[in-house]
C-alpha cells in the first residue's frame, strides 16, 4: 500500500512527499448539516424522516419528477425551507476553498443544491453540481427559463410558479427520474486522474454519484470524513476513515497538514 498507516498523519505525509495537487472531492448533505440544513437520511433529523406534514406515500416523492408533474405543492412547501440565502457555509466548505487556494483541487463533485460551496468562494468552474441547484429554474414542459426575481417571490410566498404555457416551473435540481447534468458526465474521467480522493458527508446511496469513489485509481488514497462508514469506503488498503462530524474531520486534516490557523482564519472571514 501507498500509505505507511491508515491514519491522517500518513495521508499528510503522502500529500507532502508526492506533491499532491489533484484532489477530487465527493460530498453530500452531511457537510451542510452544521449550517442548519437537514440531510436526507439521518434517522431522526433527516428530511425524509420529517416530511409527515406533506402527507406523501414515499418521502422521496417530493423530489420525483412524475409526482411533481401531478402535484408540485409538497416540493414548494419544502423549497420555502431549503431556499439558499439563509445559511452560512461551514468550516468544511472553507476547507474546500482552502484546497482550491493552495492549488490542490482538481474538481469538487457535490450532490448538494444549497450553493454553499460557491458562497464559501470556490469558483463555479471547479464545482460539478451533480444534482443541479437552486441557482436557476425553468418550465418542466416547454423548458423556458423563469426569472430569478419572480422565483424568489413565489418561493417566499409558498406558491407554485407557472409558465405562460401552463406548465409548472421547477428549479434546475435533478429529481428522481431525471438525467444528471452533462457536466457530471463530462467530468467523470477526473476521479481516475486524482492523486487523492476525499469523500465527505454523504451516504453514497444515490447512483450514479455513489459510484464516483470507485473510479479513483487503485493505489490512490481515499479519505472518508463521515458520521459512519458508507459505500465501499474502507475496502481498499489506502482508504482512511475519519468517522465523526465533518467539521471535526476537516480540522483534523488541517492540523495534520499544519493548516489549522489558515483554515480557521478563512472560515472566520
Ligand atoms: P444523506 O442524507 O443520504 O447522507 C448524509 C450522510 O452524511 C449520512 O451518512 C450522515 O450520517 C452523514 N452526516 C450527516 N451530518 C453529518 C456531519 N455533521 N458530519 C459528518 N457526517 C454527517 O445525503 P446525501 O448523501 O447527500 O438527491 O444524499 C444523496 C442524495 O439523496 C441527495 O443529493 C438528494 C437525496 O435524495 C436529490 O434530491 C436528487
Amino acid at each position: 500500500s501507498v500509505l505507511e498507516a491508515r491514519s491522517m498523519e500518513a495521508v499528510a505525509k503522502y500529500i507532502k512527499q508526492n506533491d499532491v495537487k489533484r484532489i477530487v472531492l465527493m460530498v453530500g448533505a452531511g457537510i451542510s448539516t452544521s449550517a442548519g440544513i437537514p440531510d436526507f437520511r439521518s434517522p431522526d433529523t433527516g428530511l425524509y424522516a420529517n416530511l409527515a406534514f406533506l402527507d406523501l406515500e414515499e418521502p422521496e416523492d417530493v423530489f420525483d419528477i412524475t409526482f411533481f408533474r401531478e402535484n408540485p405543492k409538497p416540493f414548494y412547501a419544502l423549497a420555502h425551507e431549503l431556499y439558499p440565502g439563509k445559511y452560512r457555509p461551514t468550516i468544511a466548505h472553507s476547507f474546500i476553498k482552502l484546497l482550491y487556494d493552495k492549488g490542490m483541487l482538481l474538481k469538487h463533485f457535490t450532490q448538494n443544491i444549497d450553493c454553499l460551496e460557491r458562497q464559501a468562494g470556490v469558483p463555479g468552474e471547479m464545482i460539478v453540481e451533480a444534482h443541479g441547484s437552486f441557482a436557476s429554474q425553468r418550465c418542466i414542459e416547454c423548458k423556458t427559463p423563469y426569472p430569478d426575481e419572480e422565483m424568489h417571490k413565489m418561493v417566499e410566498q409558498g406558491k407554485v410558479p407557472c409558465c405562460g404555457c401552463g406548465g409548472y416551473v421547477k428549479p434546475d435540481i435533478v429529481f428522481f427520474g431525471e438525467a444528471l447534468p452533462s457536466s457530471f458526465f463530462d467530468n467523470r474521467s477526473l476521479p481516475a486522474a486524482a492523486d487523492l480522493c476525499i469523500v465527505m458527508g454523504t451516504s453514497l446511496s444515490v447512483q450514479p454519484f455513489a459510484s464516483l469513489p470507485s473510479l479513483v485509481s487503485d493505489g490512490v488514497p481515499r479519505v472518508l470524513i463521515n458520521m459512519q462508514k458508507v459505500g465501499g469506503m474502507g475496502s481498499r488498503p489506502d482508504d482512511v476513515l475519519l468517522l465523526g462530524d465533518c467539521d471535526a474531520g476537516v480540522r483534523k486534516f488541517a492540523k495534520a497538514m499544519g493548516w489549522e490557523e489558515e483554515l480557521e482564519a478563512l472560515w472566520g472571514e
Side-chain angles (χ1 to χ4, degrees):
S1 63
V2 175
L3 299 178
E4 281 177 6
R6 288 185 174 225
S7 67
M8 192 53 235
E9 290 64 37
V11 173
K13 199 168 171 186
Y14 164 85
I15 292 173
K16 288 172 187 161
Q17 285 179 348
N18 295 279
D19 191 22
V20 162
K21 44 174 169 275
R22 294 194 312 276
I23 301 180
V24 167
L25 276 108
M26 298 149 189
V27 308
I31 70 165
S32 296
T33 52
S34 74
I37 306 173
D39 69 4
F40 296 90
R41 296 179 180 78
S42 282
D44 299 318
T45 56
L47 209 50
Y48 293 150
N50 288 285
L51 293 183
F53 74 99
L54 292 178
D55 219 11
L56 301 163
E57 257 172 55
E58 295 291 337
E60 281 91 344
D61 282 349
V62 73
F63 295 114
D64 187 284
I65 190 62
T66 308
F67 185 91
F68 182 89
R69 195 166 258 120
E70 296 282 311
N71 179 12
K73 282 185 186 157
F75 171 76
Y76 277 100
L78 199 63
H80 187 72
E81 307 290 315
L82 297 179
Y83 211 57
K86 312 191 227 183
Y87 303 100
R88 183 180 182 269
T90 68
I91 198 162
H93 293 96
S94 295
F95 175 74
I96 303 158
K97 170 67 159 62
L98 184 63
L99 293 177
Y100 169 73
D101 287 348
K102 292 189 174 293
M104 296 168 78
L105 184 62
L106 180 60
K107 206 56 102 177
H108 176 68
F109 290 86
T110 184
Q111 298 165 93
N112 298 346
I113 54 180
D114 55 32
C115 301
L116 287 183
E117 294 96 341
R118 289 170 190 260
Q119 223 177 295
V122 182
E125 70 266 19
M126 299 305 295
I127 307 172
V128 176
E129 283 166 336
H131 293 169
S133 83
F134 271 108
S136 54
Q137 54 283 320
R138 68 198 66 244
C139 171
I140 58 167
E141 309 300 345
C142 73
K143 312 292 177 199
T144 305
Y146 187 84
D148 295 348
E149 290 263 300
E150 287 299 306
M151 186 68 178
H152 281 281
K153 276 189 218 155
M154 296 301 274
V155 171
E156 239 165 57
Q157 297 168 12
K159 291 185 187 159
V160 179
C162 273
C163 177
C165 82
Y168 296 130
V169 169
K170 181 182 84 54
D172 293 332
I173 294 170
V174 179
F175 275 31
F176 292 113
E178 289 191 302
L180 272 60
S182 57
S183 61
F184 177 80
F185 300 98
D186 295 345
N187 288 289
R188 209 157 47 157
S189 61
L190 292 178
D195 48 16
L196 182 72
C197 163
I198 303 173
V199 176
M200 224 178 0
T202 173
S203 61
L204 290 180
S205 55
V206 176
Q207 294 291 359
F209 193 97
S211 57
L212 287 177
S214 68
L215 302 178
V216 174
S217 304
D218 279 324
V220 168
R222 303 186 305 177
V223 178
L224 174 71
I225 304 176
N226 204 59
M227 281 305 183
Q228 66 277 114
K229 208 174 138 179
V230 291
M233 299 297 296
S235 62
R236 294 187 184 177
D238 296 304
D239 285 351
V240 171
L241 308 181
L242 299 183
L243 301 185
D245 83 81
C246 291
D247 294 347
V250 299
R251 283 186 162 113
K252 192 170 178 192
F253 198 121
K255 186 174 181 203
M257 292 300 296
W259 299 341
E260 266 173 309
E261 284 173 20
E262 252 175 298
L263 178 62
E264 298 291 341
L266 192 59
W267 188 52
E269 263 172 21

